[in-house]
Amino acid sequence: MALSMRSLGVAIGLLSALPANAITNGVGKLPVMGYNAWNAFACNVNETLMVQTAQYMVSYGLLDVGYNHVNLDDCWAMKNRSSTGEVVSDTTRFPDMNNLTDQLHALGFQAGIYSDSGWFTCAGYPGSFEHEEQDALTFQSWGFDFLKYDNCAIPFDDVIREGIVGKYQRMADALAMVAETTGTTFIFSLCEWGWNQVWLWGASMSHSWRIDGDIGPYWDSLASIINSASFITQATNYYGRNDLDMLEIGNGNLTYDESKSHFTAWALVKAPLLIGTNLATLSQQNIDILKNTEIIAINQDPVVGTSISPFRWGINADWTFNTSFPAQYWSGPSENGTVFMLLNTLSEPADMFFNLTESPWIRAGRQYSVRDLWTHTDNGTAVRNFTATAVPAHGVVALLLKDAGNEPYGLEPPCAGAALSQCTAENGTSYANA
C-alpha cells in the first residue's frame, strides 16, 4: 500500500476477544475524541512536538470539552527490531516512550500508538505480524492506552493462511491477553479502509473501523466519505461505529461552511473526532467549530449510541450512490430529542424543506420546538414541516427538535406528508385527495 494510503480510527478497549455485545467494561463506549499527528506532520514527529500539541489542546480548551486523546501515528520506531525481536522507538525522536506517556497522562490525556497487521507499516517501519503479543506487551509497558492498527505489507497467503478477519483477530487476541495478565485495557483501532466490508465484522473485536480511503482537506473528499457512510449507518451503536477518518478542519482550502459541515457530519454519525491539523496554526474560528459543545453532546450521548441516517437523499433519488452529491436530509434519535442534519451539497445557497414525519423519529400530530445547534438559538415551533432558508453552498443546518405537545386543532389535510395517500377516517372515508 502506498504511503499516501493513510488511515485513522478508534475502537474499544478489550477484556477478551468476545463479540462486541459481550464487551461490557465500558472502555471506549463513546466515540474517542482527541488528536492524531499524521495529517499535519506525517513522519516529522518527535516527543517535543507531541507534548506541545497536548499543551495547545489544554490552552485552547479542547481537553475541557472532551478531546482527551493524543495519538502517535507512523514513523515513531527504528527500522529494525532488537536482537530479541522487540520493536524499538526512534532513539533520537522518541528516546523514552515512558517519558512521553507520563507527560501526556499528567496533562490529562490518554496516549495512543500505531502499528500494522502486516510485515511493515505503511511508511516501512516494523509491523506487528508474528510479533502481536510481544508488541502488545511493549506498548503496555510504555504506558499507551490506544492502538491504531493499519493494513499495509500483507503477508502472502501461504504465510498468513487467514482471511482479513483473522489477520486483525491476532492483535485483538494479544490485547485480550495483555488485559488478562496486566489489567491494562486498550482502545483498539481497525484501519482496514472498509474494502472488506469491515462494518460487518469489526464489532467482533473493536469499537470503530475505517470505512473509506484517506481523507483530503477539500470538499470532494468530504462528500465522498459522507456518501459512503450514508449506506451503513445501521452499523453504528455502542461498541461498534463507523470511522470517517480525521478532522481536517484548518487544513487545505476548506471554507468555513464546509468545515462546519465536516464537523457536523462526523459528530452526528457518531464517528471518532480526532483532530488532524497543526494546532499551532489553528484559527480561533476553527477552534470554535471544534468546540461546539451542543454538537459534541450528540456525539457523546450516553443514552443513545446510534448514528443519524438519511431519510431523503434530496437532489438524487433515495439510495443513490453519488460521491459528489451525497444524501442531504438526515435524522436520528438522541437523549434530548430528534436530531436533524440538512446538508447542502450544491455549490450555491439553497432552501431546504422537509415534512417532519419524513423522519421516523417524529410523531404525527405533534408540534416540535426547534433548537439550532450552530446559532445556539431557540427558533420557535415547527408544525408538520420545516424550511431552512439560504443554506450556504456546501453548508449545513443542525437542529434538535423536542416534542412540544399536540399540533393545533383542525389542521387540513387531516394527515400530513406521505401518510396522506392512506389517510382514512374511522368510518372508512378516505382523505387521500383532500
Side-chain angles (χ1 to χ4, degrees):
M1 184 59 56
L3 176 58
S4 62
M5 199 59 197
R6 303 303 316 126
S7 53
L8 177 71
V10 295
I12 186 169
L14 300 174
L15 287 179
S16 62
L18 295 173
N21 59 11
I23 301 169
T24 58
N25 64 319
V27 178
K29 178 181 178 181
L30 299 175
V32 167
M33 298 174 61
Y35 185 86
N36 179 281
W38 180 262
N39 281 18
F41 300 106
C43 287
N44 299 314
V45 289
N46 55 48
E47 179 182 312
T48 299
L49 175 69
M50 298 306 294
V51 174
Q52 287 176 341
T53 296
Q55 292 169 340
Y56 278 122
M57 294 177 74
V58 173
S59 65
Y60 292 163
L62 291 166
L63 175 62
D64 292 339
V65 298
Y67 294 91
N68 60 1
H69 280 73
V70 174
N71 299 337
L72 278 173
D73 208 277
D74 210 340
C75 309
W76 55 264
M78 299 295 287
K79 283 296 183 77
N80 296 303
R81 291 179 177 269
S82 72
S83 60
T84 53
E86 283 87 6
V87 66
V88 180
S89 65
D90 187 287
T91 55
T92 300
R93 293 182 292 114
F94 296 97
D96 185 343
M97 282 296 201
N98 288 106
N99 187 54
L100 171 62
T101 59
D102 285 348
Q103 291 182 80
L104 294 178
H105 291 152
L107 287 167
F109 295 95
Q110 292 191 334
I113 197 165
Y114 165 99
S115 190
D116 192 282
S117 58
W119 299 116
F120 306 102
T121 70
C122 297
Y125 292 82
S128 289
F129 181 67
E130 295 186 339
H131 290 271
E132 288 87 1
E133 289 194 0
Q134 189 175 35
D135 287 356
L137 287 167
T138 296
F139 302 151
Q140 183 274 333
S141 71
W142 285 344
F144 286 100
D145 315 281
F146 173 106
L147 174 62
K148 171 187 169 180
Y149 208 51
D150 221 330
N151 191 34
C152 288
I154 299 171
F156 293 159
D157 292 352
D158 62 357
V159 174
I160 195 168
R161 301 193 186 281
E162 288 280 8
I164 192 72
V165 178
K167 186 163 74 79
Y168 280 94
Q169 188 68 56
R170 295 168 67 100
M171 181 55 83
D173 291 344
L175 296 179
M177 178 276 297
V178 168
E180 184 176 353
T181 58
T182 71
T184 300
T185 55
F186 276 79
I187 293 177
F188 184 39
S189 161
L190 298 188
C191 304
E192 192 273 331
W193 317 311
W195 292 353
N196 283 278
Q197 295 184 309
V198 63
W199 51 90
L200 294 176
W201 54 267
S204 68
M205 65 185 78
S206 70
H207 184 37
S208 66
W209 40 82
R210 278 285 303 279
I211 66 166
D212 210 326
D214 295 346
I215 193 170
Y218 44 88
W219 176 253
D220 287 350
S221 177
L222 305 184
S224 179
I225 293 170
I226 293 169
N227 175 68
S228 294
S230 68
F231 296 94
I232 53 173
T233 58
Q234 72 278 5
T236 290
N237 209 320
Y238 297 132
Y239 309 116
R241 50 186 25 90
N242 297 312
D243 174 18
L244 281 57
D245 205 3
M246 285 173 271
L247 292 169
E248 287 284 74
I249 295 163
N251 281 347
N253 60 355
L254 292 176
T255 68
Y256 173 66
D257 291 306
E258 289 170 346
S259 294
K260 287 171 60 180
S261 296
H262 179 14
F263 184 74
T264 302
W266 266 235
L268 299 189
V269 302
K270 306 294 181 76
L273 300 179
L274 288 166
I275 303 165
T277 53
N278 184 348
L279 296 187
T281 62
L282 203 60
S283 70
Q284 185 60 52
Q285 190 178 59
N286 285 325
I287 292 171
D288 291 343
I289 289 175
L290 293 167
K291 289 176 65 176
N292 185 330
T293 54
E294 292 195 73
I295 299 288
I296 290 171
I298 307 299
N299 181 263
Q300 298 289 300
D301 192 325
V303 176
V304 178
T306 51
S307 166
I308 61 169
S309 299
F311 61 85
R312 175 158 43 99
W313 259 246
I315 63 173
N316 292 310
D318 289 351
W319 302 104
T320 297
F321 187 97
N322 189 321
T323 58
S324 297
F325 299 97
Q328 296 182 290
Y329 294 85
W330 303 59
S331 71
S334 82
E335 178 183 18
N336 294 311
T338 301
V339 183
F340 286 83
M341 180 176 76
L342 312 180
L343 186 68
N344 180 13
T345 61
L346 300 174
S347 298
E348 62 272 341
D351 293 346
M352 300 188 71
F353 167 91
F354 64 95
N355 292 307
L356 299 189
T357 54
E358 289 184 78
S359 166
W361 312 111
I362 291 291
R363 296 168 59 190
R366 307 288 285 181
Q367 58 187 333
Y368 287 81
S369 64
V370 179
R371 175 73 175 178
D372 189 309
L373 302 181
W374 277 109
T375 63
H376 308 295
T377 56
D378 295 320
N379 294 353
T381 303
V383 179
R384 293 202 172 186
N385 56 62
F386 183 87
T387 301
T389 60
V391 181
H394 300 165
V396 72
V397 172
L399 306 170
L400 182 65
L401 270 60
K402 296 184 180 182
D403 193 304
N406 290 333
E407 67 180 24
Y409 179 75
L411 293 183
E412 292 292 339
C415 300
L420 187 59
S421 66
Q422 292 294 325
C423 191
T424 306
E426 186 176 4
N427 63 7
T429 301
S430 174
Y431 287 85
N433 298 316

